[in-house]
Amino acid sequence: MAPPENTDLAAKMKRGEPVFGATMYTGSTTAVEVAANWGLDFAFIDAEHTPVNVDGQMEKLVLAALLSGIAPLVRVRGTNEWDIRKSLEFGATGVIVPQVNNADQARAIVKAAKFPPIGRRGGDASCRAAGFAGPGFQWSKYMEHENATRLVIPMAESYEFFDNMDEILEVEGIDVINFGPADYSISRQISIDYSMSHPEVEEKLAELVERCHARGIKVMAPCIPPVAENVIALRKKGVDMIIMGNDVMFLNAGCRGAREAIDTAAKTA
């Protein structure tokens, strides 16, 4: 029996269609499944800023995504090869790696995520990605399939990334670059602007899209606030993978609405 995996995300991206997802900070399988119910393409599961580690809890989140039909992309804590390898062995469709500032870091990510001849990922067949070495398992097919289908997504979220961008993008094995406007702004000590209306942030996104697309690399970026106008703007800028907010944002929006209803009712009572 083949292990569960998500092929819809790759198929849409191959056709040049935009894909949409949400970031998951709460560590809740419910949030992942709800996102799938509403037809989002990927769940950006965070282990950088949350109590979630690449352990049994992450495995449940990845499996919840796979079984509900949404592609799990795991943001690990950094270039740690064990986090990268384990996320993929759990069955993640790809790994997102924060704070990539130079080509050496990019090469380290690819080395951990890809089997030879592209990288030097360590292997074990007793994992979900390998179907737990079940009927018909073949090492050669497993490694070839992993290399061809698992996304490697470094993050561009510092001025150092842009200083070294051409060298980073030349590293073989990179599939997508995720632009982080908040951390880029922090690195430059300019006002934090998720909407990317700040001239410098907008300029860097445009530069990133141009350089990535010239090499066949996709670009991911957040859509904040997640409204149609901003989706249209990001598509016009060439963004391929659009993050439509996060589960904490959605909880805040719901609770804000409840608070407003309570306060309005109190005024009219």
Side-chain angles (χ1 to χ4, degrees):
M1 180 178 176
E5 67 175 332
N6 182 289
T7 59
D8 293 339
L9 182 70
K12 285 186 175 182
M13 292 171 67
K14 189 174 182 179
R15 293 193 297 266
E17 298 177 17
V19 292
F20 303 89
T23 303
M24 305 298 166
Y25 289 119
T26 61
S28 167
T29 56
T30 300
V32 172
E33 292 177 70
V34 168
N37 287 346
W38 287 99
L40 294 183
D41 299 296
F42 62 88
F44 178 138
I45 305 171
D46 186 63
E48 182 192 11
H49 296 290
T50 71
V52 177
N53 290 313
V54 182
D55 55 14
Q57 183 180 5
M58 180 63 75
E59 183 184 31
K60 290 179 182 179
L61 292 165
V62 168
L63 191 55
L66 293 173
L67 295 179
S68 58
I70 188 170
L73 304 176
V74 175
R75 178 159 66 182
V76 296
R77 294 172 292 179
T79 56
N80 182 301
E81 66 175 287
W82 295 275
D83 279 5
I84 293 170
R85 182 174 65 243
K86 284 179 68 175
S87 296
L88 296 173
E89 288 179 337
F90 288 166
T93 302
V95 288
I96 300 168
V97 184
Q99 297 296 338
V100 176
N101 297 325
N102 56 58
D104 285 342
Q105 289 177 307
R107 281 188 284 269
I109 296 163
V110 174
K111 180 181 178 181
K114 301 286 187 179
F115 289 109
I118 302 171
R120 288 295 303 276
R121 174 174 158 184
D124 195 303
S126 301
C127 62
R128 177 169 294 104
F132 302 106
F137 174 76
Q138 293 181 13
W139 269 107
S140 59
K141 288 186 177 179
Y142 166 56
M143 292 189 294
E144 182 180 356
H145 183 72
E146 288 291 293
N147 278 356
T149 59
R150 303 307 170 206
L151 298 175
V152 173
I153 310 174
M155 291 194 68
E157 50 183 352
S158 68
Y159 69 83
E160 291 96 339
F161 178 96
F162 287 92
D163 288 346
N164 300 308
M165 178 163 56
D166 287 328
E167 292 86 351
I168 293 170
L169 297 182
E170 287 300 320
V171 174
E172 181 186 6
I174 292 174
D175 301 289
V176 182
I177 297 292
N178 179 16
F179 182 51
D183 273 317
Y184 174 79
S185 300
I186 290 170
S187 80
R188 289 281 295 116
Q189 299 182 58
I190 59 178
S191 59
I192 297 175
D193 184 8
Y194 267 113
S195 69
M196 291 180 282
S197 60
H198 189 287
E200 181 176 335
V201 174
E202 190 172 26
E203 176 188 336
K204 290 303 177 184
L205 176 60
E207 186 179 351
L208 181 67
V209 170
E210 180 183 3
R211 302 285 182 89
C212 284
H213 285 181
R215 295 169 170 85
I217 297 171
K218 304 289 188 181
V219 174
M220 175 190 290
C223 181
I224 306 295
V227 295
E229 177 184 354
N230 289 339
V231 172
I232 293 167
L234 287 172
R235 287 298 299 137
K236 287 182 178 178
K237 292 175 182 178
V239 177
D240 309 284
M241 305 182 73
I242 299 177
I243 306 166
M244 300 296 293
N246 62 72
D247 53 359
V248 173
M249 175 189 292
F250 305 148
L251 281 169
N252 271 317
C255 289
R256 184 184 303 113
R259 183 72 257 172
E260 289 171 354
I262 294 166
D263 291 345
T264 300
K267 292 176 183 177
T268 57

